[in-house]
């Protein structure tokens, strides 16, 4: 798991889920915009370090609480390069 800036100025979180598939999500927690890269990732579930919200990195769906979501970006992997298309995808924020 790591976070990177994109040329479009959007930070993305890159994770390799169990099985090796690469996924890209919004870099900031939708709760209070803490960097998710500082959380814990077990290969499936990402836990934000701040208030322990959890997300399924297969889908980006919230597990706890279940009514939140990470924005997911399309990813293309070519060799060692990862291309992320951030166009038209807005990060979720809840501020609750
Ligand atoms: S900022 Fe991530 S759980 Fe609160």
């Amino acid at each position: 798991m790591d976070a990177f800036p994109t040329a479009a100025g959007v930070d993305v979180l890159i994770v390799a889920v169990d099985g090796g598939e690469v996924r890209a999500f919004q870099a900031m927690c939708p709760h209070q915009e803490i960097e998710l890269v500082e959380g814990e990732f077990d290969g499936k579930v990402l836990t934000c370090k701040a208030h322990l919200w959890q997300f399924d990195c297969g889908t980006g769906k919230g597990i706890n609480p279940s009514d939140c979501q990470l924005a997911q970006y399309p990813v293309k992997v070519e060799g060692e390069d990862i291309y992320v298309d951030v166009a038209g995808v807005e990060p979720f924020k809840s501020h609750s």
Side-chain angles (χ1 to χ4, degrees):
M1 172 168 79
D2 211 343
F4 301 93
T6 63
V10 177
D11 290 344
V12 298
L13 180 77
I14 303 291
V15 299
V17 295
D18 282 349
E21 204 166 321
V22 174
R23 299 194 192 272
F25 296 102
Q26 67 184 76
M28 295 295 187
C29 182
H31 183 212
Q32 291 182 354
E33 297 187 54
I34 298 292
E35 294 198 37
L36 288 167
V37 72
E38 296 176 7
E40 293 284 325
F41 179 58
D42 70 1
K44 184 172 190 312
V45 175
L46 170 63
T47 304
C48 179
K49 73 164 192 180
H51 314 100
L52 308 183
W53 280 24
Q54 292 185 306
F55 306 91
D56 181 339
C57 285
T59 62
K61 283 280 306 160
I63 297 170
N64 182 23
S66 59
D67 61 347
C68 64
Q69 173 87 40
L70 296 179
Q72 187 170 357
Y73 304 106
V75 171
K76 187 168 72 171
V77 179
E78 285 183 4
E80 305 231 317
D81 297 323
I82 299 172
Y83 298 91
V84 180
D85 183 3
V86 297
V89 181
E90 289 295 322
F92 290 101
K93 297 178 185 172
S94 71
H95 294 286
S96 59

